[in-house]
Amino acid sequence: MADIRNIVILTGAGISAESGIDTFRDAGGLWERHRVEDVATPEGFVRDPELVLNFYDMRRGALAKVEPNAAHEALARLDRQWPGELLIVTQNVDDLHERAGAKRVLHMHGELKSALCTSCETRSRWDGPMRDRPACPACDAPSLRPDVVWFGEMPYEMDRIYAALREADLFVSIGTSGAVYPAAGFVRDARELGVRTLELNLERSEGSHWFDESRQGLAGELVPQWVEEILL
Ligand code: OAD
């Protein structure tokens, strides 16, 4: 691995599964129990704000009951010890990368613990519920929504992600089904840029064939193993 200096890591719901957070598309996942159109689109929010605020209040509240797992811990260690550039791009809206101690983290789909004001567009740290329509800390309007990217909306910081991919020597995808774009397209973007690609996932994903190497297993086992290898 001597030729690898800059790394971009993409994480998805699979990295938090062993912490007890439901994934979206596995059996019993969130999208089996809730309709995407109802709880993860701007139109759903207009139609039934109460339902949507409750859904995210419940998920935000559940964060207090979970802990980072060995995969989050291993990436946090890599972040502390890796001398080159490193960017952990997560599709996850939980805070487990940060709670494990990782610093170089970018939440492309937003965060449960953040509120977005639909009046003044300020993003504020947010720990409590939103269903009671609290005032925006910046403009006082009762216009907060979850700061989570919904279908039909643009993910955060795409320019920064593509800039990091252009400088990368290695792209690693962990615990994601490769079903949602633009994140699902990063492996092909990386390939076109000549970046080496590695997948760590419970099973082969929709995009497995695009990776130079694909390893199957639990994130809590595969990620610490890979971090050991790369830090050697
Ligand atoms: P998915 O639920 O689509 O995929 C989770 C992946 O993790 C699957 O391929 C599983 O096989 C794998 N997996 C499950 N448990 C695992 C474990 N213990 N170790 C390793 N892998 C495991 O979740 P995402 O790919 O993250 O977007 O979904 C992407 C986006 O779709 C989410 O960010 C969300 C959702 O709709 C928005 O809400 C905008």
Side-chain angles (χ1 to χ4, degrees):
M1 302 277 178
D3 53 336
I4 292 172
R5 194 173 151 69
N6 300 334
I7 306 175
V8 174
I9 297 169
L10 173 70
T11 67
I15 199 169
S16 297
E18 288 156 78
S19 293
I21 298 183
D22 290 333
T23 62
F24 296 95
R25 293 174 184 79
D26 292 304
L30 275 179
W31 293 159
E32 252 180 28
R33 285 173 284 134
H34 305 270
R35 279 161 39 102
V36 172
E37 312 81 57
D38 290 341
V39 296
T41 62
E43 296 77 17
F45 185 53
V46 170
R47 226 172 15 245
D48 192 345
E50 196 126 289
L51 175 87
V52 175
L53 294 173
N54 268 322
F55 175 71
Y56 291 94
D57 282 356
M58 177 194 78
R59 293 177 62 197
R60 191 179 309 103
L63 290 182
K65 301 180 198 113
V66 299
E67 297 289 337
N69 65 51
H72 300 104
E73 305 283 357
L75 291 188
R77 174 180 168 219
L78 183 67
D79 183 23
R80 277 192 302 277
Q81 298 184 2
W82 187 252
E85 296 291 329
L86 176 90
L87 184 63
I88 301 170
V89 178
T90 187
Q91 299 168 87
N92 298 344
V93 291
D94 66 52
D95 58 352
L96 296 181
H97 284 304
E98 288 85 352
R99 277 163 56 192
K103 300 270 189 282
R104 293 181 268 183
V105 181
L106 185 163
H107 284 268
M108 65 179 291
H109 289 166
E111 294 178 68
L112 285 169
K113 289 198 174 171
S114 179
L116 173 65
C117 179
T118 58
S119 293
C120 72
E121 293 181 11
T122 300
R123 302 173 73 189
S124 311
R125 296 304 307 164
W126 200 263
D127 283 321
M130 282 184 205
R131 62 177 164 270
D132 303 335
R133 297 306 186 104
C136 166
C139 74
D140 234 22
S143 312
L144 297 180
R145 59 162 266 188
D147 189 10
V148 163
V149 175
W150 287 328
F151 287 91
E153 296 180 327
M154 183 58 91
Y156 284 118
E157 303 211 62
M158 293 306 297
D159 290 350
R160 210 176 126 209
I161 297 171
Y162 287 124
L165 278 174
R166 280 194 295 275
E167 297 301 317
D169 306 301
L170 177 65
F171 170 73
V172 187
S173 172
I174 303 171
T176 174
S177 61
V180 174
Y181 285 82
F186 291 165
V187 60
R188 265 170 284 174
D189 300 326
R191 279 184 82 92
E192 274 170 26
L193 291 161
V195 179
R196 251 207 312 216
T197 55
L198 167 67
E199 175 177 65
L200 308 176
N201 203 51
L202 190 60
E203 57 197 9
R204 287 184 67 79
S205 71
E206 291 181 26
S208 282
H209 57 284
W210 292 106
F211 288 84
D212 295 321
E213 190 189 349
S214 178
R215 301 182 190 174
Q216 277 82 56
L218 293 169
E221 291 169 7
L222 291 184
V223 178
Q225 273 163 19
W226 169 70
V227 167
E228 282 290 335
E229 276 170 38
I230 193 115
L231 284 176
L232 267 184

